[in-house]
Amino acid sequence: MDNNNAQADTKTSKFLSYILRHQPESIGLTLDNEGWADIGTLIKCAAKHGKRLNYALIEKIVDTNDKKRFAISADKKRIRAVQGHSAQKVDIPYQEKIPLAILYHGTASRFLDSIFKQGIVAGTRHYVHLSAEISTAIKVGQRHGKVIILKIESLRMYELGFKFHQADNGVWLTKNIPVEYMSVI
């Protein structure tokens, strides 16, 4: 794939993330309660706002996204982001899962003071995102500045009643992480 196509695909993926996770109404799109959008309606709404999409491009983005951020329904008519929503209407019914003993959270060093005062909170999103691998946490944290990796005692939290879920793309989700269950690596 040439560099121009890769850049175009990245822009399309970012557009889909923004629309399907955060601001569907910005293009006149409505998501159902589980975050699904009709693909035909998505294509039409995007076109009205200057973004050209077609089914083949959407399918390509879903299939090749390295973070597996999107899913297409079994009937191939709907699409959704698998996690990361801030849209209040969306409430995906994730299955509760027993987490690994240790999970990781990547963040920027400038957030540490706040984190060690209040714990890790979801903020505008529905969940705090955690990863099973340090390498993934590093990639996430790098997007926000000088990266810091927090080691989370997730199994201990679970045993004390905290709920954990795992999105289809492997991202671990929980509502918050109190300070006593984390340490800087």
Side-chain angles (χ1 to χ4, degrees):
M1 176 179 359
D2 71 18
N3 198 34
N4 287 338
N5 282 344
Q7 288 176 346
D9 288 354
T10 298
K11 281 185 176 183
T12 301
S13 179
K14 287 182 178 185
F15 173 78
L16 290 175
S17 287
Y18 177 72
I19 297 302
L20 297 174
R21 293 166 100 182
H22 308 297
Q23 294 291 324
E25 64 279 357
S26 69
I27 63 167
L29 186 67
T30 302
L31 305 179
D32 74 10
N33 290 346
E34 292 186 8
W36 292 108
D38 178 80
I39 292 174
T41 304
L42 169 63
I43 292 168
K44 288 175 191 167
C45 289
K48 288 179 185 175
H49 288 81
K51 184 70 175 172
R52 296 182 64 177
L53 297 176
N54 60 52
Y55 187 85
L57 176 59
I58 291 170
E59 190 172 48
K60 176 183 171 190
I61 298 301
V62 171
D63 290 343
T64 61
N65 184 269
D66 62 337
K67 296 178 183 171
K68 301 296 178 199
R69 283 194 169 131
F70 313 106
I72 292 178
S73 62
D75 65 4
K76 306 284 188 195
K77 293 181 180 180
R78 299 176 301 150
I79 184 173
R80 75 174 174 189
V82 298
Q83 46 71 226
H85 298 88
S86 64
Q88 293 306 307
K89 178 181 173 183
V90 176
D91 186 18
I92 298 174
Y94 298 110
Q95 288 246 312
E96 186 175 335
K97 280 186 84 172
I98 299 172
L100 302 171
I102 300 295
L103 292 170
Y104 303 95
H105 181 76
T107 191
S109 60
R110 68 180 186 273
F111 299 132
L112 274 186
D113 286 345
S114 174
I115 287 171
F116 278 100
K117 284 180 187 159
Q118 64 182 3
I120 304 172
V121 296
T124 60
R125 294 187 181 188
H126 297 188
Y127 295 97
V128 172
H129 296 179
L130 303 169
S131 61
E133 302 87 22
I134 293 174
S135 60
T136 302
I138 289 170
K139 288 178 190 172
V140 170
Q142 286 175 333
R143 296 185 316 205
H144 306 290
K146 184 177 183 270
V147 68
I148 297 291
I149 303 301
L150 297 170
K151 177 180 166 183
I152 309 302
E153 297 177 51
S154 44
L155 185 57
R156 184 170 152 231
M157 287 177 63
Y158 177 82
E159 289 168 345
L160 293 170
F162 289 84
K163 294 186 184 324
F164 285 81
H165 312 277
Q166 193 172 29
D168 293 345
N169 62 355
V171 173
W172 285 90
L173 308 168
T174 192
K175 290 290 186 181
N176 69 311
I177 302 167
V179 174
E180 60 267 25
Y181 302 105
M182 68 179 86
S183 58
V184 176
I185 293 183

